[in-house]
Amino acid sequence: MLLDKPLGLSSNDALQKAKWLLRAEKAGHTGTLDPLATGVLPLCFGAATKFSQLHLDADKTYETTVRLGVTTTTADAEGEVLARRPVACSVGQVVEVLDRFMGPIAQLPPMHSALKKHGKALYEYARAGQTVERQPRHVVIHALELLEMQLQGDAPFLRLKVQCSKGTYIRTLGEDIGEALGCGGHLVALRRVATGPFEAAQCITLAELEALSEEQRLARLLLCEALLPEHMRVTLSGQDAGRFLSGMRRRGAWPDADAAAVFGDQPHALLGTAHVKAGELIPSRLLSPTEIQQILETQA
């Protein structure tokens, strides 16, 4: 299910609410959004949780507002103010700095993040007033678009649209852009508008989900294969499908492929994922007969 996560709710709290509304036994999400952030949060239920890890690698697109001239302890509006500086940059300087952040960049993960060090989340150290050593992470900014800008007045800001690789910290990006402009900055708004092939226009809010009947809620679920859009499709019939489900390799005239979504034909149903090498279909992740039956019942 594609959820439009509301402001002020953690990703896990949003997941638990949707899980309760759908009466799901097993659930997970495909990439955390901070409570400050809103937008696209794909939720996986039942069999789909087996493929949620694949979607964590997807590129993400965000719209964000960076308040210039003020830095905070968390690089966003939830933190305490560290410093205030005048904003004296020009439009030309803004454009030049944004160009500098395009492509591969290194980011130092923020202390207020869920990244772990010695088995403990960084934010736990931060809350205790401690700073620990962190290694820079290499990410890619595919596109960085200036949507709106105000450099004068009491609250100067930049509104940006960012398309980036997995693992990018938008808070850190905003903070680094502010530093490069000589005035500092922090995030005051963040919205994820796309993750992989999924866009905000396809999402449903928790309030909208709550207002639906149980049957209507189930109708908002996408099929598991929606998580596998770039996988080569392979369809097996009869005995081949059964043997594949038991973990056996199958032979056929398939081209080599790193990732394949494998279906049975009677009835048409996703069986799992595999890869193909030298005409051999090698199972990767398999669904159980119970999970396949649940998918078929939901489709019905």
Side-chain angles (χ1 to χ4, degrees):
M1 176 172 285
L2 301 178
L3 182 73
D4 189 336
K5 190 192 84 65
L7 184 69
L9 212 59
S10 73
S11 293
N12 188 59
D13 286 343
L15 170 67
Q16 295 306 321
K17 182 73 181 287
K19 180 182 176 184
W20 180 78
L21 288 170
L22 288 164
R23 303 182 189 223
E25 292 182 9
K26 189 164 59 171
H29 59 71
T30 65
T32 303
L33 279 175
D34 290 340
L36 173 74
T38 66
V40 185
L41 183 66
L43 305 179
C44 297
F45 302 96
T49 57
K50 286 190 171 180
F51 310 114
S52 60
Q53 186 67 31
L54 297 171
H55 198 71
L56 289 174
D57 295 337
D59 288 344
K60 312 290 192 296
T61 303
Y62 298 90
E63 290 183 2
T64 185
T65 301
V66 182
R67 165 70 159 89
L68 298 175
V70 180
T71 55
T72 72
T73 52
T74 58
D76 62 24
E78 294 185 325
E80 296 178 9
V81 172
L82 285 174
R84 297 180 185 273
R85 285 182 269 171
V87 178
C89 53
S90 66
V91 174
Q93 286 173 309
V94 170
V95 172
E96 187 273 326
V97 163
L98 293 183
D99 284 343
R100 211 188 301 169
F101 283 89
M102 280 287 295
I105 63 170
Q107 285 191 325
L108 191 66
M111 281 301 302
H112 286 268
S113 69
L115 196 66
K116 292 195 172 179
K117 177 94 172 180
H118 304 308
K120 199 160 125 181
L122 291 181
Y123 65 77
E124 293 182 65
Y125 292 104
R127 287 171 182 171
Q130 300 174 318
T131 300
V132 298
E133 186 180 351
R134 293 149 285 158
Q135 294 300 315
R137 303 178 93 187
H138 296 280
V139 298
V140 181
I141 307 299
H142 300 296
L144 184 53
E145 182 183 352
L146 181 60
L147 300 177
E148 192 179 352
M149 172 175 53
Q150 181 177 304
L151 301 179
Q152 308 297 324
D154 295 333
F157 68 89
L158 304 176
R159 196 162 73 84
L160 308 170
K161 187 172 185 178
V162 186
Q163 184 186 355
C164 55
S165 65
K166 70 164 185 174
T168 303
Y169 288 102
I170 305 299
R171 279 181 296 150
T172 300
L173 179 65
E175 189 175 47
D176 290 347
I177 288 171
E179 286 304 315
L181 289 170
C183 58
H186 70 278
L187 257 60
V188 292
L190 179 62
R191 179 164 177 77
R192 187 154 68 192
V193 295
T195 173
F198 306 128
E199 299 181 351
Q202 299 170 266
C203 295
I204 187 170
T205 66
L206 280 175
E208 290 168 339
L209 187 64
E210 199 165 9
L212 298 178
S213 67
E214 190 167 347
E215 188 176 336
Q216 289 171 324
R217 288 171 192 163
L218 292 175
R220 290 302 303 248
L221 289 168
L222 302 177
L223 298 178
C224 281
E225 56 251 44
L227 291 168
L228 314 171
E230 297 180 3
H231 283 51
M232 182 178 80
R233 294 174 73 93
V234 172
T235 301
L236 301 176
S237 58
Q239 292 183 341
D240 276 337
R243 287 172 179 156
F244 175 82
L245 264 184
S246 65
M248 296 175 65
R249 301 182 178 194
R250 312 312 303 144
R251 294 201 65 84
W254 304 294
D256 283 5
D258 292 331
V262 184
F263 296 83
D265 66 345
Q266 293 294 332
H268 177 78
L270 180 68
L271 306 179
T273 58
H275 63 279
V276 181
K277 188 172 182 180
E280 198 167 42
L281 185 68
I282 305 166
S284 301
R285 297 299 300 268
L286 298 173
L287 298 182
S288 69
T290 301
E291 288 171 331
I292 294 170
Q293 185 59 38
Q294 287 174 340
I295 291 172
L296 291 172
E297 288 173 359
T298 303
Q299 287 178 231

